[in-house]
Amino acid sequence: MRFITTLLALSFLGATAAQAEMNLTSSDLGAGKPMADAQVFNGFGCSGKNISPQLKWSGAPSGTKSFAIMAYDPDAPTGSGWWHWTVFNLPTDATEIATGASGKLPAGAIEGRTDFGSSGYGGACPPEGHGPHRYQFTVYALSVDKLPLDKDAPAAMVGFFARANALDQATIEVTYER
């Protein structure tokens, strides 16, 4: 019995260590800091540049077959948050995307539909006076080569498939208010 308990404990510790290894950094986003105007939406009363941020990730677990990126505002007053960006079917040799990569991603990568109603990056644009909103940029290491979705897939569907096939993930959270 002690042997089985030890194996279970080691298995659990191994899973925890693997999850802790994936890392996400950005030259455009500072964890816990306000988002720059370059990443703010241009429309809906906002006048940012709407440029997708640079993201770089490392430490994906073995068995990773593709990546997905999702950007989400859990503080939007919708009852379900607001999806700002979904990217999926990024190949395993992609471990970074450049500033402004939306619309110019590696071959085979797909940008799904955001809550703005179109595909591609849609920057921060919370209601005026609503206080600070959190923007969570997450990269998922996936166990499948491709998600069975196209560019018209709504963000919630991309999120469902990304989470269902995630081996690990890493997040940067920034803020923005107006």
Side-chain angles (χ1 to χ4, degrees):
M1 183 66 164
R2 175 180 272 174
F3 177 72
I4 292 172
T5 304
T6 302
L7 282 177
L8 288 173
L10 288 172
S11 175
F12 175 76
L13 290 173
T16 302
Q19 289 175 348
E21 289 180 25
M22 197 157 168
N23 187 40
L24 177 61
T25 60
S26 175
S27 60
D28 297 320
L29 306 172
K33 296 183 179 176
M35 183 182 289
D37 285 340
Q39 280 70 54
V40 173
F41 193 66
N42 188 3
F44 286 17
C46 291
S47 57
K49 295 181 182 172
N50 203 48
I51 299 171
S52 61
Q54 181 268 353
L55 298 170
K56 183 175 183 172
W57 55 95
S58 62
S62 64
T64 299
K65 296 183 179 177
S66 68
F67 295 100
I69 299 169
M70 301 198 69
Y72 177 68
D73 171 4
D75 302 313
T78 63
S80 60
W82 191 272
W83 292 100
H84 288 264
W85 198 22
T86 65
V87 179
F88 53 97
N89 299 348
L90 281 161
T92 56
D93 62 352
T95 57
E96 180 175 9
I97 56 169
T99 302
S102 181
K104 303 175 247 172
L105 293 163
I110 298 173
E111 293 180 281
R113 195 164 28 98
T114 70
D115 286 340
F116 288 108
S118 59
S119 63
Y121 177 77
C125 187
E128 277 189 87
H130 199 254
H133 283 219
R134 296 168 291 154
Y135 295 87
Q136 300 163 342
F137 289 79
T138 303
V139 174
Y140 296 89
L142 304 178
S143 62
V144 294
D145 292 332
K146 296 182 184 309
L147 298 184
L149 304 169
D150 62 22
K151 69 177 182 60
D152 294 320
M157 184 68 73
V158 176
F160 173 81
F161 277 96
R163 285 173 180 81
N165 293 287
L167 297 170
D168 203 350
Q169 67 188 56
T171 300
I172 293 176
E173 183 176 274
V174 297
T175 62
Y176 185 77
E177 70 178 299
R178 61 186 191 114

